[in-house]
Amino acid sequence: MSRYEGGGAGAGAGAGATGRGLWVEEPAQRHRMPDPVRTSAVRAVLIVAVTLTQATITFFLTLTGSWLALPMALGAIAGTIVATWGVLDVWITRQMWNQRYGVLSEPSSTARRLRREARRASRATRKAGKARGAREATAGRIPREDGPLAASGR
């Protein structure tokens, strides 16, 4: 029996598969990147890898004094420009995704508490207003209106 199949240290042949298995699914620590961002990131990694390989080959060709060193150096310079564009593309795509689809966030407990207190205060204000209106109505008084025509007596 292998050490991954048993029930731990000192488990006998009849222990069964009660211990931790070889493959245990664990929840991801971070969310998966959106597909456009992931695509541009893969593209940027490939471009940077090709550019670094080309720069290494250019270095060795320069050491050997080969005539291919000049065309490869020009290609490495162009590759550096393209690699910079690729990395900027990842950054711009990520920013665009965040602006378009937003970051999903949950309100913190502080925000919930403040909203709850604001709701309680508005309920209390409404309740006090209704109670005052009921008292004025029972006293036989007509409530005064403060509107744009109140100054003219209408």
Side-chain angles (χ1 to χ4, degrees):
M1 177 184 324
S2 77
R3 66 181 202 182
Y4 295 111
E5 294 173 1
T18 59
R20 183 176 172 153
L22 179 63
W23 185 269
V24 176
E25 193 72 29
E26 294 180 2
Q29 296 295 325
R30 293 172 21 153
H31 293 291
R32 180 176 163 172
M33 277 193 290
D35 285 339
V37 178
R38 224 171 45 153
T39 303
S40 63
V42 168
R43 185 184 322 121
V45 166
L46 290 175
I47 291 171
V48 167
V50 168
T51 302
L52 287 174
T53 304
Q54 193 174 14
T56 304
I57 292 171
T58 302
F59 173 73
F60 288 128
L61 286 175
T62 303
L63 284 180
T64 60
S66 175
W67 64 273
L68 284 174
L70 179 64
M72 286 293 286
L74 295 175
I77 292 170
T80 303
I81 294 170
V82 172
T84 305
W85 168 82
V87 172
L88 282 175
D89 181 46
V90 173
W91 183 60
I92 291 169
T93 306
R94 184 174 168 271
Q95 293 297 324
M96 179 271 311
W97 182 269
N98 284 339
Q99 286 178 2
R100 185 173 292 172
Y101 299 105
V103 177
L104 299 177
S105 62
E106 298 174 2
S108 66
S109 59
T110 306
R112 267 190 228 108
R113 184 176 50 82
L114 291 175
R115 281 200 316 264
R116 192 177 303 127
E117 289 173 3
R119 281 195 305 265
R120 284 183 187 147
S122 66
R123 279 189 210 125
T125 305
R126 276 197 311 260
K127 194 178 286 186
K130 286 181 183 179
R132 186 179 52 227
R135 269 184 279 141
E136 289 175 356
T138 58
R141 295 179 51 189
I142 299 174
R144 184 177 144 217
E145 294 186 20
D146 291 333
L149 300 177
S152 64
R154 293 187 190 179

